[in-house]
Amino acid sequence: MDQRSLRILEFDKIINWLTDQAQTEPGRQLCRALMPSAQLDVAKMAQEETDDAVKWLLTRGALPLYGISDVAQPVERSQNGVWLNCGQLLRVGQFLRAVSRLRRQLPADETPQTAVQKALASLIPIKNLEKRLDEAIAGEDELHDAASPELASIRRRIKGAQADVKESLNRLVKTHAKLLQDQLVTLRGDRYVVPLKAEHRGDLPGIVHDTSASGATLFVEPLPVVELNNRIRELSGLEREEIERILQALSMLVAEASEPILENLLVTARLDFLMAKGQLALNMKAMPPDMNQEGRIRLKAARHPLIAADEVVPINFELGDTFQTLVITGPNTGGKTVTLKTCGLLCLMAMAGLQIPTQEGSEVSVFNQVLADIGDEQSIEQSLSTFSSHMRNIVQITSEAGPGMLVLVDELGSGTDPSEGAALAMAVLDHLRRHGCRTVATTHYQELKAYALRTEGVENACCEFDTETLKPTYRLLIGIPGVSNAFVISRRLGLQPGIIEQARQLLSEEGIRFEELIASVEKQSRDSEKIRQEIDQLRAEAQQEKQQLEKARQDLSSHKKRILQQAREEARDTYQQAYSEVEAMMDEIREKIRYGQLHESERMADQMRHQIRAGLNQVEGDIGRETLRASGRKMTPGQIKTGMIVTAPQLGLQGRVIEVPDNRGNCRIQTDDGMKVSVPAAALQAARASTDQQNGTAGGKGRARNGRRSEAGTVSIRSQKRLTASTEIKLLGQTVEEALSSLDSFIDDAVLAGISSVRIVHGKGTGALRGAVHQQLKRDSRVKAFRLGTYGEGDSGVTLAELR
């Protein structure tokens, strides 16, 4: 792709925006390298990958990509036999932990189908090396004692020798206190010494290792501890040798696993790249376009992604179907240049596999080349005027003209004599059309409007201008040439009528008729648009009335069901009473049977009992089915009380109210499985059990069954949570009570979003907050396990938790 055109169309700004979404440096490198592709299959595949990432973000949330760094250089150094230091090995270990964490995002029983799933499945955890590095590396320049048994033994002996030295020196300090400047033991180099007053140099035999700046203090190693210090030095040498041996062994292990490590690095970078593309699409509210290679562009409600959402005006744009060249006319600042840039930029984004901010059903073609001449690039140093600057670009464009090219030209032929500029513009457009280019050009020349009207394959368009308000609407009208509106604008701005009339007389009669005809067509177009809007409004009102009628019908049906339910319950009571009477009769009959009487009466009573029992069973069944179908009753916020059992049918939830509605109309309910959810009060209904309790029949008939949340409701809530859910919470600066409340809500959101691992930042401080957090995590049934962070993860200031 032409780099100058990419810059003019601001594709580099989209790339910067994309790069900001990436979380790792390898991922950011892939974002920076993204370029449009002229191959249809490549562009389609890239679009599918982006769509996969969007769906993953909506259903499962962001991937835990923290801890990933570019470990290619240290790994390659280990391949060449170079020993890695602690810091390099630490980063390799962090990378291996991140790989294992990412691989767990794809369940073992899930068959990889999408691009994200396949990438996750291709990760290769290296558990043995990951565990060995975790056991050995303590920090950027430190090994754990457990790195090897020999290292642990050496360090124990060093600590013992140091304790002996300190004990000996402490006794000496107490017995020779008057000789010393301070009663303390210090280090010079790696030797333990005491601060001796200079005037007592001969009173304490030993080796002088240093002198204070004033010369008043000598730092002396007393002779009794020389041998002990020598022992410490010997052990320190053994420690260094053991550390070197361990680092060498660990470096060799990294070298042996270098191939899968580097493969994992490529996969994690690709995952970060895919997530960045998906997140950018969500931020832009973009959609995947249909792709073709026939030069056909059809954009529905297209928005320029770099214009603020509250300022951009969506446009409908088409090219390459019934016409190959589009000539856009209209006043300055009317939106012509924005239309050019929107068309070009969205084409480049789609070719690069990025979703575009349009409505569903938009279509974009791949092009071999996208060339743009937009803006004034006149150069004083090169002695180029505006016309010369534009013409130099046109020369390049016309020399490369051919099929599969999209050309975007702003103010074609401007900067020179109008008649010559218009002639040149028509010749250039004709040249591009004959060579099969798809061309969009803006102009003020009337001759080009006529050229578009009489030339096959060329169409007019204009950016609408409201002559009443003297402001552009920024709407693109295809099929209608624009008018300059110079006379109308001048009159409204107060130019004398005589001057305007003289100017009209100077125009040719044909030109006046042409402008009047165009103005008439544009006015009719605006009028038809107003009629269309009125029709849309009437249609919306009709739809609203239809919905209201449907609601009234449902209310009537519900009322009917309630009446039938009441009748069934009364019938049940009647049958129950009759059945009890029959049972009493049967008891009496059995007594008489003992004496051999009333055999026929027994048969008749038994038959009557069966009939009554069958009727009672039918009524019970009807009541049970209607009770299960009952959806409760609507409630106002004032009717909602703490402890009530409520349902949210649209969300598929049922639970107990734990917080009444706040000033925004939201209240919190706790479901039967312990999940706490914030729900609008308008979405709640009283459950049957709650209604019965209020009527004094708690535990009676009609209790609503729980535990059956609809799949659609659950997916809806989780989709919303996954857009905003985070894998980390910071509790710094909060009181213990505030922190625990925040943590509880955070875990609710994480569980609802399907996040399996979270990071809790509580800081080190006095340890009180950390202890309170750990106590709550121990009691929380949603928490599977937790641990303090290691070096590089935040140490004891961070707790990492795994959720069920």
Side-chain angles (χ1 to χ4, degrees):
M1 287 293 158
D2 180 66
Q3 294 299 317
R4 176 181 166 277
S5 296
L6 292 178
R7 176 177 52 80
I8 289 174
L9 294 172
E10 301 179 291
F11 184 73
D12 56 327
K13 294 182 179 179
I14 298 297
I15 293 299
N16 291 338
W17 194 356
L18 173 67
T19 303
D20 290 341
Q21 310 308 310
Q23 300 183 45
T24 70
E25 183 54 34
R28 286 189 282 270
Q29 291 175 6
L30 289 182
C31 292
R32 296 187 194 102
L34 181 63
M35 290 291 290
S37 173
Q39 300 180 35
L40 180 61
D41 55 345
V42 174
K44 280 186 173 181
M45 182 177 296
Q47 284 289 344
E48 290 175 1
E49 291 175 348
T50 304
D51 200 41
D52 290 343
V54 170
K55 291 175 181 176
W56 181 281
L57 287 168
L58 288 172
T59 57
R60 308 197 193 193
L63 290 173
L65 291 163
Y66 55 89
I68 296 175
S69 59
D70 190 352
V71 296
Q73 185 177 2
V75 172
E76 291 169 356
R77 286 170 60 87
S78 71
Q79 289 177 316
N80 297 327
V82 179
W83 299 355
L84 304 182
N85 58 38
C86 289
Q88 293 169 329
L89 291 170
L90 177 66
R91 286 185 284 278
V92 172
Q94 290 173 339
F95 175 75
L96 294 178
R97 285 197 298 274
V99 168
S100 297
R101 185 169 56 246
L102 284 170
R103 185 60 184 84
R104 290 195 297 270
Q105 300 301 306
L106 185 70
D109 59 348
E110 185 172 336
T111 303
Q113 295 180 340
T114 67
V116 177
Q117 291 174 326
K118 291 177 181 178
L120 288 172
S122 66
L123 289 171
I124 309 170
I126 311 172
K127 289 294 186 181
N128 291 337
L129 179 57
E130 176 187 342
K131 181 180 179 182
R132 182 72 183 98
L133 292 175
D134 282 347
E135 292 173 346
I137 307 301
E140 286 286 343
D141 54 2
E142 184 181 358
L143 291 179
H144 284 299
D145 292 351
S148 76
E150 180 63 21
L151 182 62
S153 174
I154 292 172
R155 288 183 173 175
R156 280 197 302 270
R157 284 183 283 167
I158 289 175
K159 290 178 181 177
Q162 289 172 340
D164 292 340
V165 171
K166 291 178 181 178
E167 183 180 356
S168 178
L169 288 176
N170 284 332
R171 287 198 303 267
L172 188 147
V173 165
K174 291 179 181 179
T175 57
H176 297 78
K178 295 181 180 181
L179 306 180
L180 303 179
Q181 200 71 257
D182 293 297
Q183 295 186 26
L184 56 83
V185 177
T186 184
L187 279 171
R188 282 298 181 269
D190 57 352
R191 314 288 289 190
Y192 285 94
V193 297
V194 292
L196 180 67
K197 295 178 180 178
E199 60 267 25
H200 296 293
R201 171 67 183 85
D203 297 336
L204 183 64
I207 302 171
V208 178
H209 289 278
D210 197 5
T211 306
S212 66
S214 63
T217 303
L218 304 177
F219 294 94
V220 177
E221 178 185 7
L223 291 179
V225 299
V226 170
E227 186 58 33
L228 290 175
N229 274 331
N230 289 340
R231 179 58 179 159
I232 292 174
R233 172 172 287 187
E234 292 173 5
L235 291 172
S236 297
L238 293 175
E239 180 187 27
R240 286 192 296 272
E241 292 175 2
E242 180 62 13
I243 289 174
E244 291 175 357
R245 188 194 67 77
I246 294 171
L247 293 178
Q248 181 182 11
L250 293 176
S251 300
M252 292 176 63
L253 291 177
V254 171
E256 291 172 1
S258 59
E259 185 175 342
I261 291 175
L262 294 176
E263 289 178 2
N264 285 337
L265 183 61
L266 295 177
V267 175
T268 54
R270 175 169 166 74
L271 282 169
D272 192 18
F273 172 63
L274 292 177
M275 290 294 105
K277 292 202 298 178
Q279 191 60 55
L280 180 66
L282 293 175
N283 291 345
M284 288 185 178
K285 299 180 180 178
M287 298 293 294
D290 296 328
M291 303 294 295
N292 68 77
Q293 56 185 359
E294 289 80 37
R296 187 171 58 257
I297 304 173
R298 187 178 293 110
L299 304 177
K300 299 180 179 180
R303 295 168 280 115
H304 195 291
L306 299 177
I307 300 178
D310 57 346
E311 297 178 3
V312 67
V313 177
I315 61 169
N316 295 318
F317 182 92
E318 59 179 289
L319 180 69
D321 192 1
T322 58
F323 54 90
Q324 287 70 49
T325 303
L326 186 65
V327 178
I328 305 176
T329 51
N332 290 327
T333 69
K336 301 191 301 297
T337 303
V338 172
T339 298
L340 278 184
K341 288 190 171 184
T342 301
C343 169
L345 181 57
L346 297 194
C347 286
L348 292 173
M349 289 174 61
M351 292 164 63
L354 301 177
Q355 295 187 359
I356 58 177
T358 61
Q359 285 184 356
E360 190 175 4
S362 295
E363 188 175 8
V364 173
S365 174
V366 294
F367 294 97
N368 298 330
Q369 191 63 270
V370 177
L371 296 177
D373 176 41
I374 301 174
D376 186 2
E377 294 188 341
Q378 61 178 321
S379 171
I380 296 176
E381 293 180 358
Q382 299 180 23
S383 300
L384 293 177
S385 65
T386 299
F387 176 75
S388 299
S389 174
H390 283 296
M391 191 50 58
R392 184 179 62 177
N393 298 330
I394 296 300
V395 169
Q396 177 191 352
I397 291 173
T398 53
S399 64
E400 298 180 18
M405 180 182 292
L406 175 63
V407 179
L408 307 168
V409 185
D410 193 23
E411 301 295 349
L412 181 60
S414 63
T416 187
D417 178 79
S419 57
E420 292 182 354
L424 275 173
M426 286 187 288
V428 168
L429 290 178
D430 220 38
H431 175 84
L432 297 174
R433 181 179 60 84
R434 290 196 310 270
H435 283 76
C437 297
R438 299 294 187 266
T439 307
V440 185
T442 69
T443 183
H444 284 287
Y445 292 141
Q446 179 176 305
E447 291 85 349
L448 264 67
K449 305 174 191 177
Y451 166 78
L453 287 173
R454 67 173 182 264
T455 305
E456 184 178 357
V458 184
E459 185 60 271
N460 270 305
C462 70
C463 289
E464 188 181 49
F465 187 86
D466 190 341
T467 56
E468 297 297 326
T469 62
L470 298 184
K471 292 181 179 179
T473 65
Y474 302 106
R475 293 178 57 249
L476 183 68
L477 305 177
I478 295 179
I480 303 174
V483 294
S484 64
N485 295 305
F487 293 159
V488 175
I489 294 173
S490 298
R491 181 181 296 108
R492 287 189 175 274
L493 292 178
L495 188 63
Q496 296 177 18
I499 298 176
I500 295 174
E501 185 60 32
Q502 183 179 358
R504 291 180 62 87
Q505 293 174 1
L506 294 175
L507 284 177
S508 65
E509 184 177 348
E510 180 181 354
I512 293 174
R513 286 202 305 271
F514 182 75
E515 290 291 322
E516 289 176 347
L517 174 62
I518 292 175
S520 175
V521 171
E522 187 174 351
K523 182 178 183 301
Q524 291 177 9
S525 174
R526 286 199 300 270
D527 292 342
S528 65
E529 177 63 20
K530 290 180 180 178
I531 293 174
R532 187 189 67 79
Q533 292 176 355
E534 291 175 358
I535 292 174
D536 289 344
Q537 183 177 356
L538 290 173
R539 183 182 291 112
E541 292 175 354
Q543 182 66 24
Q544 184 177 2
E545 290 180 359
K546 178 182 177 181
Q547 293 175 352
Q548 292 175 350
L549 289 173
E550 178 64 21
K551 184 177 182 299
R553 186 190 67 79
Q554 293 176 354
D555 292 344
L556 181 61
S557 176
S558 299
H559 182 64
K560 176 183 176 182
K561 289 178 181 178
R562 284 196 298 272
I563 293 175
L564 289 174
Q565 181 76 349
Q566 183 178 359
R568 290 188 184 99
E569 291 179 357
E570 291 175 355
R572 178 179 62 183
D573 293 340
T574 301
Y575 272 108
Q576 186 68 50
Q577 182 178 0
Y579 185 75
S580 299
E581 292 175 358
V582 170
E583 285 292 336
M585 291 171 58
M586 288 299 298
D587 290 340
E588 183 179 352
I589 290 171
R590 290 189 188 96
E591 288 293 327
K592 294 181 178 181
I593 289 175
R594 294 179 183 177
Y595 303 99
Q597 303 172 356
L598 301 176
H599 297 287
E600 182 64 22
S601 298
E602 178 187 13
R603 186 186 63 77
M604 293 175 61
D606 194 41
Q607 181 179 359
M608 184 185 302
R609 180 182 64 178
H610 285 303
Q611 290 176 350
I612 294 174
R613 180 74 258 178
L616 180 60
N617 289 341
Q618 181 178 355
V619 174
E620 290 282 4
D622 291 342
I623 292 174
R625 284 190 293 273
E626 292 302 320
T627 299
L628 286 175
R629 285 197 292 265
S631 60
R633 58 180 179 83
K634 292 282 187 179
M635 296 184 298
T636 63
Q639 294 174 318
I640 300 175
K641 307 297 182 184
T642 302
M644 290 181 62
I645 304 298
V646 294
T647 63
Q650 296 178 346
L651 302 178
L653 292 175
Q654 175 170 309
R656 184 180 301 276
V657 177
I658 58 175
E659 291 183 17
V660 296
D662 55 21
N663 54 6
R664 292 178 295 180
N666 294 329
C667 62
R668 286 179 69 81
I669 66 173
Q670 181 172 359
T671 62
D672 297 320
D673 55 5
M675 182 174 63
K676 298 176 183 177
V677 185
S678 180
V679 180
L684 295 180
Q685 296 180 358
R688 176 69 61 180
S690 180
T691 304
D692 291 343
Q693 289 171 7
Q694 292 178 7
N695 294 334
T697 58
K701 300 171 288 186
R703 185 179 301 276
R705 290 176 172 84
N706 52 35
R708 293 189 178 180
R709 294 191 301 274
S710 69
E711 182 180 351
T714 302
V715 171
S716 174
I717 291 176
R718 289 187 172 174
S719 296
Q720 295 177 22
K721 287 295 181 186
R722 281 172 179 146
L723 286 176
T724 57
S726 171
T727 59
E728 179 181 284
I729 182 173
K730 295 183 178 179
L731 305 177
L732 303 174
Q734 299 185 26
T735 65
V736 171
E737 183 178 357
E738 293 171 346
L740 296 183
S741 176
S742 300
L743 178 60
D744 187 54
S745 299
F746 169 72
I747 293 178
D748 275 343
D749 293 342
V751 170
L752 193 58
I755 296 172
S756 60
S757 301
V758 295
R759 188 169 185 263
I760 305 165
V761 182
H762 44 62
K764 299 179 180 179
T766 62
L769 181 56
R770 178 177 64 237
V773 167
H774 285 190
Q775 287 298 320
Q776 177 152 320
L777 294 177
K778 287 180 182 178
R779 295 191 299 267
D780 199 326
S781 60
R782 299 164 295 179
V783 178
K784 180 179 180 182
F786 64 93
R787 64 176 177 84
L788 282 175
T790 60
Y791 187 88
E793 295 177 329
D795 293 325
S796 59
V798 169
T799 294
L800 304 178
E802 292 183 26
L803 306 181
R804 299 185 186 276

